[in-house]
Amino acid sequence: MTEKPAKPARYASWTQGKLPLPELSEMKRRGDKIVMVTAYDAPSARLADEAGIDLVLVGDSAGMVVQGRESTVPVTLDEIVLMTQWVARGAKRSIVVADMPFGSYETSDEDAVRSAVRLVKEGGADVVKLEGAGAMVSRARAIAQAGIGVMGHVGLTPQSATVLGGFKAQGRNAERARELVEEAVALEAAGCFSVVLEAVPAAVASAVTRRLAIPTIGIGAGAGCDGQVLVWHDMLGYCQGRSPRFVKRYADLGAVITEALGRYAEDVRSGSFPEEQHTYAMPEEELAEFEAALADVEAR
Ligand code: KIV
């Protein structure tokens, strides 16, 4: 009998090929935590994949952390399609989730399905994510019925930050907390395979997590969720300004990059870069012939 290869410790499950979507619910059932991170390009997606991250989200947070905007609202469907293509090339095991940007799904179920199809067909996304409940439950249902995996997102939904009064925690009173539970339950009933809970009290997120059979992925929602998600630039210290209080910083890439660029500038200015090892040589006889030709030209 051949022995099964040992699972690398960093993987909670599945090591062969793409993580199957139904495996996420199995992970919830087993109590294995689900790990999601955002990424916006191929090398980052490859690193996330190699680190054993379960889901890579091509978030519309790109609008803020990559494009330097004040909000996620201006991000376009074309931009998410393009970034999803890059990410899909890097993510082999991780499930690629493409965020549906503002304006790409609110208008009708048909528009929602059309946009989701583009993200999967042109972008190479495995599944999509949309924000909100209410009328968005119908959008989620339409996408699920079209055969596309859809992730919900409630609590702080950045695309509606203006209506919510800013980037503020949600569900901090009993009435709104109860509504949040109902929203998540409605998204599950609509066919979502998972729901993101953003910036909600830990007690509310835990209550939602207990109520749902599908996994909850928290960001600023406490340890009771079935999984966690963080934004690449926030968690790796590769961003400007202050990060939200729920971010844990695992590296300080900004400082590493600034220091490296500073040394590069110094080397160029002092002439110590490039060195011999960074340049191309040519065969001696070719060089001699070239110099003779140059001398010929200069002599004319
Ligand atoms: O766009 C994004 O990065 C997100 C996460 C914060 C969940 O939606």
Side-chain angles (χ1 to χ4, degrees):
M1 204 174 85
T2 52
E3 247 181 67
K4 265 178 133 185
K7 262 198 293 195
R10 64 181 182 224
Y11 293 120
S13 65
W14 216 262
T15 54
Q16 299 288 308
K18 186 67 83 176
L19 183 67
L21 202 58
E23 181 64 11
L24 297 177
S25 287
E26 288 303 304
M27 288 171 77
K28 171 172 180 134
R29 205 184 41 74
R30 291 196 299 266
D32 290 345
K33 292 286 186 184
I34 299 166
V35 191
M36 177 156 107
V37 72
T38 68
Y40 315 98
D41 58 32
S44 309
R46 187 176 51 76
L47 293 174
D49 200 271
E50 283 174 9
I53 300 291
D54 301 310
L55 298 118
V56 176
L57 170 65
V58 186
D60 62 355
S61 48
M64 298 171 82
V65 298
V66 178
Q67 299 175 337
R69 299 180 189 274
E70 290 297 313
S71 97
T72 61
V73 167
V75 175
T76 67
L77 185 60
D78 284 345
E79 287 166 346
I80 299 279
V81 167
L82 189 61
M83 288 186 289
T84 304
Q85 290 172 347
W86 301 337
V87 166
R89 284 178 205 136
K92 302 295 176 217
R93 171 191 175 270
S94 317
I95 295 169
V96 176
V97 186
D99 224 353
M100 302 193 70
F102 180 70
S104 71
Y105 60 96
E106 294 86 344
T107 37
S108 68
D109 287 358
E110 290 72 24
D111 286 347
V113 173
R114 196 172 301 116
S115 300
V117 166
R118 274 200 70 195
L119 289 165
V120 171
K121 203 176 169 104
E122 288 175 46
D126 295 308
V127 292
V128 301
K129 174 171 90 59
L130 54 70
E131 291 185 9
M136 300 312 121
V137 171
S138 165
R139 311 289 179 263
R141 184 179 301 107
I143 293 168
Q145 284 176 353
I148 297 174
V150 57
M151 180 180 247
H153 181 162
V154 293
L156 170 55
T157 45
Q159 292 174 13
S160 18
T162 308
V163 178
L164 297 175
F167 291 86
K168 286 183 181 162
Q170 299 296 308
R172 296 181 85 176
N173 63 55
E175 172 62 9
R176 182 67 191 115
R178 197 185 47 74
E179 277 171 19
L180 266 173
V181 177
E182 282 168 10
E183 289 172 1
V185 167
L187 286 165
E188 175 173 55
C192 286
F193 70 86
S194 173
V195 178
V196 168
L197 304 174
E198 180 164 353
V200 303
V204 179
S206 293
V208 173
T209 302
R210 283 194 302 273
R211 272 295 290 279
L212 302 189
I214 57 170
T216 57
I217 307 290
I219 176 162
C225 296
D226 298 305
Q228 299 292 325
V229 57
L230 282 176
V231 169
W232 183 271
H233 293 61
D234 290 338
M235 68 167 297
L236 296 175
Y238 184 33
C239 54
Q240 286 149 354
R242 259 168 21 98
S243 294
R245 61 170 274 138
F246 53 70
V247 172
K248 179 169 175 184
R249 198 163 264 202
Y250 285 86
D252 195 0
L253 293 193
V256 171
I257 292 170
T258 307
E259 191 273 335
L261 291 173
R263 278 191 293 115
Y264 164 60
E266 222 173 272
D267 281 1
V268 171
R269 290 178 184 132
S270 69
S272 59
F273 174 82
E275 297 161 49
E276 185 80 32
Q277 56 178 315
H278 307 119
T279 57
Y280 297 98
M282 64 195 284
E284 263 176 34
E285 58 283 10
E286 294 296 332
L287 182 59
E289 194 180 322
F290 171 60
E291 281 172 349
L294 269 188
D296 218 31
V297 172
E298 281 160 13
R300 273 190 223 147

